[in-house]
Amino acid sequence: MIEILAALSASAAAGMRIALPLLVIGLLRSDSLWYSVPLLSRIPPSVLVGILTSWSLFELFASKKLLGQRVLQVVQLLFSPVVGAILGIAVAQFAGAPTAFVWIVGIVGSLLAFVLQLVQVGWFYRLRGLPLWVVFIQDVLCVALVIFAFDAPQQGGLIALLLLWLAIRSSTQWHRWYRGHHDSHRRRRLRRQMPD
């Protein structure tokens, strides 16, 4: 159970940022860097540090501007499931979970990261850009969830589950708003087409 909560905590971080949680894992596990992380273990550590640091800085600064948010939304929507799976598998392996169980955790982590990112995209288009205070909360939560995955997996897992619950609640609200907006737009169009 602890392994699942730890993996969910790390995967939820991938639902907010891509490179930042991977960089934090590398810094936390500085003794082995990314040797136990799937896919990343094949890249030389010096190259990986450069790539992750550059992209993390881009994420931190670009997310504060509207155009940067648009670029990040597309990239994060594409890569968040992959990074969510990588983080989930890495943390589950670190916690000593059985191999068959690790792959299940990877799939769940991938889906969690994708759902969180998908809801953020929905709110981004509804609000026409995420407010700055929300972006700062994302940055802090992203780092905190990775740290919790190693030091306090129960709290991190509960935060991840709370984020999932909030995402599901807000997605239904967003869907209701979209349907209402679409219906009112259709009614206005029909009124214009009706003869006087």
Side-chain angles (χ1 to χ4, degrees), residues 121-134:
V121 170
W123 279 106
F124 172 80
Y125 283 107
R126 178 180 173 181
L127 301 173
R128 295 182 182 168
L130 295 174
L132 205 55
W133 63 270
V134 172

Side-chain angles (χ1 to χ4, degrees), residues 42-194:
R42 300 169 185 268
I43 304 171
S46 56
V47 175
L48 197 55
V49 167
I51 293 169
L52 292 178
T53 303
S54 303
W55 190 256
S56 295
L57 288 172
F58 179 74
E59 284 179 331
L60 289 172
F61 290 111
S63 61
K64 310 303 182 284
K65 304 285 183 186
L66 186 61
L67 180 61
Q69 285 182 9
R70 279 197 181 126
V71 172
L72 285 175
Q73 292 291 344
V74 174
V75 174
Q76 288 173 345
L77 194 60
L78 290 172
F79 289 101
S80 61
V82 177
V83 177
I86 288 172
L87 287 169
I89 289 169
V91 171
Q93 283 177 339
F94 174 77
T99 307
F101 185 69
V102 164
W103 290 104
I104 295 169
V105 168
I107 293 167
V108 172
S110 174
L111 292 172
L112 174 64
F114 185 67
V115 166
L116 291 177
Q117 189 58 48
L118 199 61
V119 171
Q120 285 178 72
V121 170
W123 279 106
F124 172 80
Y125 283 107
R126 178 180 173 181
L127 301 173
R128 295 182 182 168
L130 295 174
L132 205 55
W133 63 270
V134 172
V135 176
F136 279 116
I137 289 174
Q138 285 178 330
D139 294 337
V140 172
L141 258 179
C142 178
V143 174
L145 284 167
V146 176
I147 294 170
F148 282 156
F150 291 99
D151 295 338
Q154 288 178 320
Q155 288 85 341
L158 289 175
I159 292 170
L161 291 173
L162 179 63
L163 287 172
L164 179 62
W165 178 77
L166 285 172
I168 292 167
R169 286 290 304 269
S170 68
S171 68
T172 55
Q173 239 184 342
W174 174 75
H175 183 66
R176 201 177 301 128
W177 170 84
Y178 176 77
R179 278 180 51 193
H181 182 71
H182 185 67
D183 290 345
S184 65
H185 181 67
R186 191 171 57 190
R187 281 195 299 270
R188 278 198 306 269
R189 194 173 58 201
L190 285 172
R191 268 194 230 110
R192 282 198 298 267
Q193 289 173 352
M194 285 173 66

